[in-house]
Structure formats: structure tokens, C-alpha cells
Amino acid sequence: MSYRGRDAVLVMRRAIEAQELSADYVICGGGSAGCVLAGRLTEGTQRSVLMIEEGDDFGTSPTAAMLSPNPARVIYDPALRYEGLQARRTDAQEPSLFWRGRGVGGSSLINGQAAVRALPGDLDAGSRPVGDEAWSWRPMRPHRRPADADADYG
């Protein structure tokens, strides 16, 4: 059985209160990062993860839009993205449509299967405000290697 929005929150709250639902970790969002985090947390352990995702899990049942060679069919499918989100890069720009995927896989559902890795300088700059060099380019390289050497697609 599948629940959406407020109904899903109420069902989950009742299950937790009745102690029928428990997990070692709760991850909010089943996008690319949430899915990877859930996988890594449970890899080779007995830990459990509860992942909360508002959108659907298409699993092995892709929609016709997902199977189309035309990426516009996925990008404009309201079942796969959040309607009405807008953003701008600067105050001088007018807001425009901000495509964010809705479902397990997050925005990877609608990005045309393109992957863009962060630049070394961006990762280094992002690690400075938190004062943790472990998040900079060089220490993160081993964690990115599995994706770079994907035997199925790489």
C-alpha cells in the first residue's frame, strides 16, 4: 500500500507511536545522495534504514516518458517533477522553472542520465566554511571512484 503527502506522514507517525516501525537511521529524501547514504549505512551490517521519499519508486517499472529517447518527455512529466518551483541565479534574473525530480532517484529521474562531478576547487572551497578538510577534493577521491569505474556503464 502506498501513501502520499499528509496521509503518509500520519500513517508513519501512527506506526512509530505503536512501536511497529523502527530503524537505526532515518533518511529524508530518496534522491541520489539519500539512496547512496542508505546503501553505505547498511553495507555489510545489520543496521536498518527508513528512507522517506514523497515521490514514487519506479524500480523496474519505468514510465513511457522514461523509456523515450527524448529527454523533454521526462523533464515535462508532472508525475516526475515538482510543479511550480522557480529559481534564479542572481537578483537581476527573472525566476524561471527549476527542475527537481520527484521520486526515488530524485533529480536523477529527469536529468537525462547526465552526471556532472564537482570541480576540485568547488569541493575545496565548500570544505573551508565547516573547517573539515575531509570534504575537500583529495580526501573525497576514493569515495567517487566506484561511480567512475561503473562496470555496467563506465
Side-chain angles (χ1 to χ4, degrees), residues 71-138:
R73 290 194 60 199
V74 172
I75 291 170
Y76 291 107
D77 185 339
L80 303 176
R81 67 177 170 86
Y82 290 95
E83 289 287 326
L85 289 180
Q86 293 192 335
R88 59 177 149 205
R89 293 181 187 176
T90 70
D91 290 337
Q93 285 183 322
E94 288 297 316
S96 61
L97 183 62
F98 186 54
W99 296 329
R100 304 305 300 160
R102 187 172 118 199
V104 174
S107 293
S108 295
L109 283 171
I110 63 171
N111 73 359
Q113 297 188 10
V116 180
R117 185 193 302 153
L119 296 171
D122 291 343
L123 287 172
D124 290 345
S127 70
R128 287 185 202 113
V130 295
D132 188 350
E133 289 298 312
W135 292 98
S136 63
W137 172 258
R138 193 166 301 282

Side-chain angles (χ1 to χ4, degrees), residues 55-77:
D56 290 328
D57 179 2
F58 296 95
T60 58
S61 302
T63 67
M66 291 174 175
L67 296 173
S68 171
N70 180 354
R73 290 194 60 199
V74 172
I75 291 170
Y76 291 107
D77 185 339

